[in-house]
Amino acid sequence: MTSSTETLEQTPRRRLSREERRRQLIAVSWGIIREDGTEALTLPRLAEQASVAKPVVYDHFATRPALLAALYQEFDTHQTALMDAAFQASEPTLPSRAMVIAASYVDCVLEQGREIPGVISALAGSPELARVKRDYEAVFMEKCRSLLAPFAPGGTIAASGLLAMLGAAEALSFAAACGDITPDEAKDELFQTILAIAARNAR
């Protein structure tokens, strides 16, 4: 008679689709960063932790920079989804839109945890990756411009103001993720910063 344990051992493991494998590798990558920091994330380490052959990892991410870029893309996609959902539920007022931006940015960083500051620092350390980061930031700032512009005379927000807002968003979110300030403090300070930027443009 075959035992249940033997039956389970004889059951072939379902092969993951390419998209499922990619999602698994991304999840394992975040885990490595969470446990040991961004520097510990290498393609061979990822293969070992994911229990797959190295060629499988290289088939999805040819280089470590490509993997880091994919992690940042996932973060950015999630952040955009959070902001879009909050925008749909918001009132058409400047304070409401400012809070959408502030809360969405901080919440997304906090959901990802302390891993994302390390990924962003790694992106800044390479010209190739820095361009990837700038491209995503440009999309984010344009989205913020579209949210805030209706409340500014002339219908626009200056690029310098958007850059100041982005810098504040990163610094405050990372401080909250590290426990230096509370999430509410980060959101409120960013909210006030956005209102000030919009008011300055209004003048």
Side-chain angles (χ1 to χ4, degrees):
M1 183 182 226
T2 304
S3 70
S4 59
T5 301
E6 290 174 337
T7 301
L8 288 173
E9 289 175 349
Q10 292 170 5
T11 302
R13 206 180 273 179
R14 185 178 73 84
R15 183 170 182 172
L16 298 180
S17 69
R18 182 172 180 80
E19 182 56 33
E20 288 172 333
R21 178 66 71 191
R22 179 182 174 86
R23 288 200 300 269
Q24 180 217 13
L25 294 175
I26 290 288
V28 172
S29 296
W30 285 121
I32 292 172
I33 295 172
R34 188 178 305 114
E35 292 297 321
D36 300 313
T38 309
E39 291 304 314
L41 179 61
T42 64
L43 299 185
R45 173 77 183 279
L46 175 56
E48 178 186 353
Q49 292 292 103
S51 300
V52 299
K54 291 179 184 177
V56 173
V57 172
Y58 283 94
D59 182 48
H60 287 270
F61 310 106
T63 63
R64 183 173 184 269
L67 173 58
L68 290 169
L71 293 176
Y72 187 77
Q73 180 183 29
E74 183 182 70
F75 166 75
D76 179 82
T77 299
H78 182 51
Q79 184 181 71
T80 299
L82 277 180
M83 184 179 291
D84 287 347
F87 170 69
Q88 293 298 325
S90 69
E91 297 294 326
T93 65
L94 176 58
S96 181
R97 300 290 165 80
M99 183 51 72
V100 164
I101 296 170
S104 298
Y105 200 103
V106 174
D107 283 343
C108 190
V109 171
L110 292 177
E111 281 186 29
Q112 194 60 66
R114 299 179 65 175
E115 304 91 76
I116 192 61
V119 170
I120 289 179
S121 294
L123 290 172
S126 157
E128 174 190 355
L129 292 176
R131 283 194 297 273
V132 171
K133 182 172 181 284
R134 285 197 302 271
D135 288 344
Y136 283 114
E137 286 175 344
V139 174
F140 173 77
M141 287 191 291
E142 186 55 39
K143 181 179 290 290
C144 292
R145 188 198 301 273
S146 69
L147 288 173
L148 300 173
F151 308 99
T156 189
I157 300 291
S160 57
L162 292 170
L163 286 168
M165 181 197 67
L166 179 62
E170 274 197 8
L172 291 165
S173 298
F174 293 177
C178 293
D180 296 332
I181 60 177
T182 68
D184 286 343
E185 287 173 330
K187 291 176 186 178
D188 184 64
E189 190 62 35
L190 182 53
F191 171 71
Q192 298 296 337
T193 298
I194 295 169
L195 289 181
I197 288 170
R200 185 170 66 250
N201 278 271
R203 292 199 298 270

